[in-house]
Amino acid sequence: MSADRKDDHVRLVAEQRAGGPRSNGFDDVGFVHHALAGIDADRVDLGVEVAGARWALPFYLNAMTGGSTATGLINRDLAIAARETGLAIASGSVSAALDDPALAPTFRVIRDENPDGFVFANVGVERSPDDARRAVALLEADALQVHLNAVQETVMPEGSRAFSSWPRSLEAIVEAAEVPVVVKEVGFGLSPRTLSRLRDLGVAYADVSGSGGTDFARVENARRAAGEYAFLAGWGQSTVECLLDAPADAPVLLASGGVRTPLDVVRALALGARAVGVSGAFLQVVLDDGAEGLVALVRSWTAQARALLALLGAASPGDLADTDLVVRGATAEYGRLRGIDLGALSRRSETPESRSSRGR
Ligand code: FNR
């Protein structure tokens, strides 16, 4: 049953992506272009600090799969691509292997193919601290992702509807963890209230994983004979909305959900993400062109991200905090309703002198 579900997810994500390129909240975010502000691309260092490690690249392969023969082969290709490019990689939820050790190799392949890379193990929030420890041990993982997926569980035919124990369970996992913990959504976003709660529970990293890309309400609904949860498609906050709305004292933010291009990566970094996760877009390339295809794509994203930072005058991802971002459309409406100062965001590069010379 669980192995079938893992195969269903991959098939349905690919089918639903084939509907064509989707616009999402990232399209509402533009940079003000300053024609004389550029720097040399060879001065750009894309490296970022995440979970006590230095990553060469500010984007990573986010949680997806494992738990069946076919998804084990996908994990093998993803891990080879991670090894060849230095990309950090997350496993899919290891729960299946915790319940049935025969499935362990379909996850363990991520470490076997990528012995020196940065690897996250992934578990659901309902698992015990001991299960989380076993998941980390299985992958010799550098860090642990804990996913919050209430919407997915709600639509999933075999899903749980009992969520009240989650905060306590999360607290126990965080307390017992011997590696850094990232709490993530699975494509519905983390609100300011959730981010503050995570901080109170001692969580150091949060991946907002918003809407705009893979939509597990649609995926799980397609697994129902009657498709009676179609109305939940599109639920949640977009990744851009989450980043705009995040409180100043949130955990260190990672971003994922709907990232399609290196420009989306740079937009998310400029909106305050420390690093940016990609699932659906990279899965598609591995399904179409194998590990080799993903290696080529990651190399081209790396060169393009470097070029974009040079264009924006940013020697490192941290320098993007001073870029001027213009937010339009539905995202701007969300921002206005939520009281976010979008005007200030569009003038972040201004100094007090340039501001006064413009009469502000
Ligand atoms: C996922 N995702 C996911 N997340 C998680 O924490 N545990 C998991 O087991 C899975 N499984 C999974 C399977 C497949 C096939 C996909 C495409 C995705 C969710 C993923 O990590 C991410 O949060 C969302 O997919 C949003 O990012 P994209 O796909 O829009 O880049």
Side-chain angles (χ1 to χ4, degrees):
M1 185 61 191
S2 163
D4 287 351
R5 181 163 85 232
K6 301 302 167 177
D7 292 342
D8 282 354
H9 286 165
V10 169
R11 178 178 55 79
L12 291 165
V13 166
E15 264 175 42
Q16 294 180 358
R17 287 184 65 79
R22 258 179 94 184
S23 71
N24 67 36
F26 283 110
D27 294 318
D28 287 336
V29 180
F31 287 95
V32 176
H33 171 58
H34 300 299
L36 280 176
I39 60 166
D40 299 347
D42 59 14
R43 258 193 61 205
V44 173
D45 177 358
L46 291 176
V48 288
E49 300 279 335
V50 179
R54 177 102 183 144
W55 293 0
L57 299 176
F59 53 99
Y60 61 102
L61 259 163
N62 214 355
M64 282 192 270
T65 202
S68 68
T69 307
T71 57
L73 293 172
I74 292 172
N75 271 344
R76 181 167 177 274
D77 278 348
L78 295 172
I80 291 170
R83 179 188 72 210
E84 295 301 312
T85 59
L87 214 55
I89 180 172
S91 73
S93 172
V94 183
S95 289
L98 298 175
D99 298 336
D100 178 0
L103 297 173
T106 68
F107 295 94
R108 173 69 207 182
V109 66
I110 293 175
R111 179 51 89 196
D112 291 342
E113 290 291 347
N114 180 31
D116 302 321
F118 190 101
V119 172
F120 290 100
N122 182 293
V123 293
V125 66
E126 76 288 354
R127 301 300 302 215
S128 69
D130 192 51
D131 283 347
R133 189 194 50 73
R134 287 168 57 213
V136 168
L138 173 64
L139 289 170
E140 296 172 70
D142 302 281
L144 174 70
Q145 287 185 336
V146 180
H147 66 257
L148 306 176
N149 66 336
V151 184
Q152 179 183 17
E153 293 286 345
T154 299
V155 184
M156 193 191 298
E158 64 278 46
S160 159
R161 307 287 174 86
F163 308 126
S164 65
S165 62
W166 283 14
R168 237 176 312 121
S169 180
L170 177 59
E171 194 169 25
I173 293 174
V174 170
E175 250 177 50
E178 287 169 357
V179 292
V181 175
V182 175
V183 173
K184 72 184 287 291
E185 243 290 349
V186 302
F188 302 97
L190 297 176
S191 67
R193 202 167 108 193
T194 311
L195 288 167
S196 296
R197 188 92 196 265
L198 291 178
R199 181 210 51 217
D200 293 345
L201 291 170
V203 173
Y205 292 87
D207 171 358
V208 299
S209 207
S211 64
T214 303
D215 183 343
F216 268 95
R218 279 184 77 205
V219 169
E220 296 297 352
N221 192 50
R223 298 180 57 243
R224 289 179 167 269
E228 65 273 40
Y229 277 88
F231 57 81
L232 274 185
W235 180 273
Q237 292 89 268
S238 75
T239 302
V240 170
E241 288 165 351
C242 294
L243 291 172
L244 284 172
D245 217 0
D249 58 353
V252 174
L253 294 174
L254 307 178
S256 67
V259 174
R260 308 151 298 179
T261 64
L263 178 56
D264 291 344
V265 171
V266 175
R267 285 163 161 152
L269 295 171
L271 286 163
R274 179 71 60 86
V276 181
V278 185
S279 292
F282 284 171
L283 175 66
Q284 191 64 58
V285 175
V286 157
L287 294 177
D288 293 344
D289 300 316
E292 222 171 273
L294 185 53
V295 168
L297 184 76
V298 171
R299 293 206 168 122
S300 106
W301 279 37
T302 302
Q304 290 167 332
R306 195 184 298 281
L308 286 169
L309 262 67
L311 178 64
L312 292 164
S316 68
D319 290 347
L320 292 166
D322 295 328
T323 52
D324 300 320
L325 290 172
V326 178
V327 178
R328 298 185 169 88
T331 310
E333 188 182 0
Y334 179 92
R336 276 191 296 270
L337 292 169
R338 301 279 298 168
I340 296 162
D341 189 348
L342 298 178
L345 190 66
S346 75
R347 297 188 298 271
R348 294 191 300 185
S349 72
E350 287 188 5
T351 58
E353 301 79 61
S354 65
R355 211 164 319 177
S356 61
S357 72
R358 293 176 54 203
R360 283 208 191 91

